[in-house]
Amino acid sequence: MADQIKLTVYRYNPDKDSEYRPQSFTIPYQKDWSILDALNHIKAEVDGSLAYRWSCRMAICGSCGMMVNGTPRLTCSTYLNEFYPKEITLEPLANFPVVRDLVVDLSDFMGKLKSVKPWIIRKNKKDDEDTSSEYLQTPSQMDAYYQQSLCINCTLCYAACPAYGLHPDFLGPAVIALTYRYNNDSRDQGRAERREVVAAENGVWKCPVVGDCTEVCPKHVEPSAAIQRTKVNSAVSWFFSRLSGRK
Ligand code: FES
C-alpha cells in the first residue's frame, strides 16, 4: 500500500456548529507536497466543503497561514516531509475570530493597518512640485527600511503574539513594523502623523518583548526589533518635544 499521512483539521460551520470539531483525513503521502497541496487534495477528492484561504502558492500573498501543530506557518511553504510519518494538526490562526473552518476574520488587522497610513506621505509639497518625477533614493537610504518592506501581511505574527492574545486593542507586530518601514523611508514625511497612533496607549508600549513574532515571520521582517526601535524613536521625540515646548 502507498505511504499515507494523517491530517486532523479543525472544522467550524457557524450555521451548524456551536464549537470547533476535529476531523481527520488519511491521504496519500507525497514527499514534495506542501500542506496546502494536501488541503487541495482533500478539497478536490474527499470533502469539497473544507474552507481555507490561499492564492499565490509561493509565499507572497500571505493568505494561507494557519496553525500547524500549534505554530503559525504558511502552508504553501511548509512541506509534509517535515512531519511524516507523524500526524499533522491544522487549526485556524490563533487570536482571530473564525469565519469558517480554517478561515479567520482579518478586519481588526486591516483597520489597524489603515490607521498608521502605510503609504508615502508628502507633506510639504510645493505648488510647482513635479509629482510625475521620481524621488531618488540611494541604496543605503533604501537599506534603512528594506527588511520591513518584505512584510506580506500574513498575520502569523499576530497569531504568535501573547500581547495581542491578551489585549486585542494592541496595534500588533506587523502594523508597527510597517509603520517603521514608512517612517524610515527617506521619501516620507508622515512620521508625526503615525506617532499619534504608534505611541498611544495601544501602540508600541504594549509590547512585552517576547519576540515570538520574529520567530514565526516567514519573511524575516523582525517585527520585534522594529517595535523596540520605534519605542526608542518615540521616547526621543517625546523628550525633544518637551525641550522645545512642542506638544
Ligand atoms: S498561498 Fe500565498 S502565501 Fe501561501
Side-chain angles (χ1 to χ4, degrees):
M1 196 170 81
D3 293 337
Q4 296 190 312
I5 188 165
K6 184 172 163 188
L7 272 72
T8 297
V9 181
Y10 273 70
R11 308 292 306 267
Y12 173 69
N13 179 341
D15 297 329
K16 291 198 301 202
D17 301 324
S18 56
E19 55 187 28
Y20 311 126
R21 56 185 170 85
Q23 183 176 7
S24 294
F25 301 92
T26 300
I27 60 168
Y29 168 67
Q30 306 278 351
K31 69 176 184 314
D32 56 348
W33 272 9
S34 66
I35 291 176
L36 180 60
D37 291 328
L39 287 172
N40 286 341
H41 172 83
I42 292 169
K43 190 165 179 77
E45 306 292 337
V46 186
D47 185 344
S49 71
L50 182 62
Y52 53 100
R53 283 201 183 103
W54 63 282
S55 180
C56 71
R57 300 174 72 168
M58 53 180 77
I60 290 174
C61 73
S63 62
C64 68
M66 54 192 83
M67 307 301 287
V68 179
N69 287 358
T71 302
R73 307 278 298 265
L74 292 181
T75 49
C76 69
S77 58
T78 304
Y79 288 83
L80 298 183
N81 63 15
E82 184 183 328
F83 305 91
Y84 181 79
K86 293 190 180 136
E87 172 181 343
I88 298 171
T89 300
L90 301 174
E91 298 167 88
L93 279 179
N95 299 334
F96 291 98
V98 176
V99 176
R100 184 176 181 128
D101 294 341
L102 299 164
V103 177
V104 294
D105 182 354
L106 296 176
S107 313
D108 179 62
F109 168 73
M110 299 308 286
K112 285 171 177 164
L113 185 58
K114 195 172 171 192
S115 75
V116 298
K117 302 185 179 175
W119 52 80
I120 289 174
I121 297 171
R122 297 290 294 177
K123 268 219 155 4
N124 306 318
K125 203 163 58 167
K126 299 185 185 86
D127 288 343
D128 59 351
E129 186 171 322
D130 178 6
T131 52
S132 66
S133 64
E134 294 173 291
Y135 295 111
L136 295 179
Q137 194 167 62
T138 66
S140 68
Q141 284 173 323
M142 187 173 159
D143 283 346
Y145 67 84
Y146 179 72
Q147 193 169 11
Q148 287 70 40
S149 75
L150 299 176
C151 177
I152 56 172
N153 298 344
C154 65
T155 66
L156 300 195
C157 54
Y158 283 74
C161 175
Y164 183 63
L166 276 175
H167 308 288
D169 289 337
F170 175 39
L171 212 46
V175 168
I176 299 173
L178 285 162
T179 304
Y180 184 91
R181 176 255 177 272
Y182 285 96
N183 281 351
N184 287 280
D185 190 317
S186 59
R187 301 163 295 182
D188 181 80
Q189 297 166 333
R191 182 180 286 229
E193 284 179 49
R194 296 188 195 101
R195 190 185 308 127
E196 289 175 15
V197 181
V198 291
E201 187 187 349
N202 294 314
V204 286
W205 304 105
K206 274 234 159 79
C207 168
V209 205
V210 174
D212 287 351
C213 52
T214 291
E215 286 288 314
V216 302
C217 177
K219 293 295 179 182
H220 311 293
V221 166
E222 294 198 9
S224 181
I227 294 171
Q228 308 329 313
R229 287 186 208 127
T230 305
K231 284 180 183 172
V232 172
N233 293 339
S234 298
V236 169
S237 295
W238 179 85
F239 179 71
F240 281 108
S241 71
R242 285 297 176 276
L243 273 187
S244 66
R246 273 189 290 122
K247 291 262 171 158

